[in-house]
Amino acid sequence: MATQDASSPPIPFADTPNLARLFFDQAERCSDQAFLWKKQRGAYVSINWQTAADETARLALGLRDLGIGAGDRVVLVAENSPQWLMADIAIMTIGAISVPAYTTNTAADHRHILKDSGAKAAFVSGKTLAACLMEAAADAPALEMVIGIECRPVVPEGQRIKALRWPDVLSETDDPFLALRPIIKPLQPSDTACIIYTSGTGGTPKGVVLSHRAILHNCAGAYHFLLKIGLDDQIFLSFLPLSHAYEHTAGQFFPIAIGAQIYYAEGIDKLATNMVEARPTIMTAVPRLYETLHARISQGVKRQGGVKAALFDQAVALGRKRLLEPGSLNIWEKLLDRLLDRLVRRKVAARFGGRLKALVSGGAPLNPEIGYFFQALGLRILQGYGQTEAGPVISCNPPDRVKIETVGPPLHGVTVRIAEDGEILVQGDNLMQGYWNNPQASAATLRDGWLHTGDIGTIDADGYIQITDRKKDIIVNAGGDNIAPQKIEGVLVIQPEIGQAMIYGDRKPYLSAVLVPDPSFLQEWQAKTDDASDQALTKRLAQVVELVNGDLSAVERIRRFIIADEPFGIDNGLMTPTMKIRRHKITQRYQQQLEALYR
């Protein structure tokens, strides 16, 4: 069992009862200091704490005047921006429940979330997102209004939904803070703050219900872990979707808790430029980003060649040796290592803005080799572990003692133990209240106060957790997205051309598949076609996959596939007696071919 030491310095926001108070109290302290930064006309411009708080307060009062009250659910579909933060906090301020949703959701995804949550209102940005949401809104009887952040949403003919613009909602009250005080005061730590939908093993997204306490507890844990690097004048660069529990807590509420500034990135394609512009001190990201940066840096060095490439390789080699074999550098290597700090590592640091204190990795397992690469170049990378159901952070490597092969010890106030079957169990105030409208799933996941994570792991003598396997079938891609393979497989096998399918892609940048052609289709196709070659069959199945991808969200789409050499069956060990596919057996059989798809 592992429990973080409770003998840590006091937390400044320890007595804060809810997330609204956390924000407004910090705004009062920071007042005219810069807070939120967004690109406009090619340059970052800032909104100070006072301005952000004033607009958030007016938005909260406006929502209340429109009839949104305690317990009402409000969906939020938008790109990361100052308005996303303001809307999220305004919803919580009046006791309503924020329901973040991905901008990549299909109309079917929105339909499920709107209906399951019983959302009364929704915020949406842009015409394209609004059109997708409105398509789903027709089947959401509880939805009364949609608020456009950038423009008024277009309501299809025949729908009774009220369409509003952001400015229309803002209250014109003379003193919005005075009007808000009696509203915020009753909010308790145990009250629900948000419902974040995450895919379950059956493929239907489940709403994870998180209280104000759970998120505040996570912020407190992050405060303890990062206190050693200094938490004054911190700058965050936010680019992961705020609808992801990781960014929602670590990239929004934790910066609020410590009075930090938040820059909003323009997207992954402009991230390198934004890092130089924002010069962040802390970045929270998923392994896929670090893999991409590793590839870009390595390829750039290779193209340069010559002395620069040789110095870079030497910096990585000596840095790695220093990390893995402490005290092993001789006097000449130490001198060279210091010289390489100036010649190589400073230049690498400059590409990240020049003042980075920590890169925090979470959402999916980080390849240790990627971790060693960045650490060897002088960039501190801290791998953590969590689940949406845990607020979401469970553990993280501390800055002063990193074990990159592990996900670190538990956060302050979190207890982790290993069950008899090796499953990682978690206990603490960070845990969810349950799944929305799903008592059966809640009871299966939360048992006797312990969260059953579905992950298999060990705890070493220092209390560090190492994840060794996944107990459940959910795929976590390199971007940290939870993907239910059964849902996609179900869509594939209803196609007449496909008889069986298995989705592959855990820790990978995209999904691939093993496909078994339907015997009837194959027989008929071979009889009718003039070209029954393997290439022709692959081309035909590629057309089918492309058709299926049109009904899937971006992270669920299949990029590549292989064709199995025989059907999955009981006799060949690829199916159980109850006709369920044996994923690990199929993966073992086609491992080399599947891995080749990612090269």
Side-chain angles (χ1 to χ4, degrees), residues 252-321:
Q252 176 171 291
F253 282 108
F254 180 59
I256 289 172
I258 62 174
Q261 299 178 55
I262 303 173
Y263 280 72
Y264 294 101
E266 297 174 273
I268 187 67
D269 55 325
K270 295 185 178 179
L271 186 59
T273 300
N274 293 159
M275 282 193 290
V276 174
E277 294 170 322
R279 302 184 64 219
T281 58
I282 298 176
M283 276 189 65
T284 56
V286 293
R288 180 58 185 158
L289 170 69
Y290 303 122
E291 292 167 2
T292 301
L293 293 174
H294 169 267
R296 288 180 182 175
I297 293 170
S298 299
Q299 290 166 7
V301 170
K302 187 176 181 180
R303 282 194 299 268
Q304 286 182 325
V307 175
K308 289 184 178 179
L311 290 173
F312 182 89
D313 291 342
Q314 189 67 59
V316 173
L318 284 179
R320 184 183 174 88
K321 183 178 181 181

Side-chain angles (χ1 to χ4, degrees), residues 538-599:
T538 299
K539 184 176 180 180
R540 177 63 184 274
L541 292 183
Q543 294 171 345
V544 176
V545 170
E546 188 61 28
L547 180 67
V548 168
N549 281 340
D551 294 324
L552 298 173
S553 67
V555 297
E556 293 174 322
R557 291 171 189 155
I558 303 147
R559 293 272 296 276
R560 305 187 73 180
F561 64 88
I562 62 172
I563 300 175
D565 51 21
E566 66 174 337
F568 309 152
I570 298 172
D571 292 340
N572 61 16
L574 301 183
M575 297 191 77
T576 68
T578 55
M579 303 300 290
K580 294 178 182 178
I581 61 172
R582 294 185 186 272
R583 296 181 185 279
H584 66 290
K585 293 291 185 182
I586 298 170
T587 299
Q588 287 174 6
R589 179 162 178 166
Y590 296 103
Q591 185 82 48
Q592 291 185 346
Q593 292 168 260
L594 286 167
E595 286 298 317
L597 299 177
Y598 297 93
R599 292 174 193 151

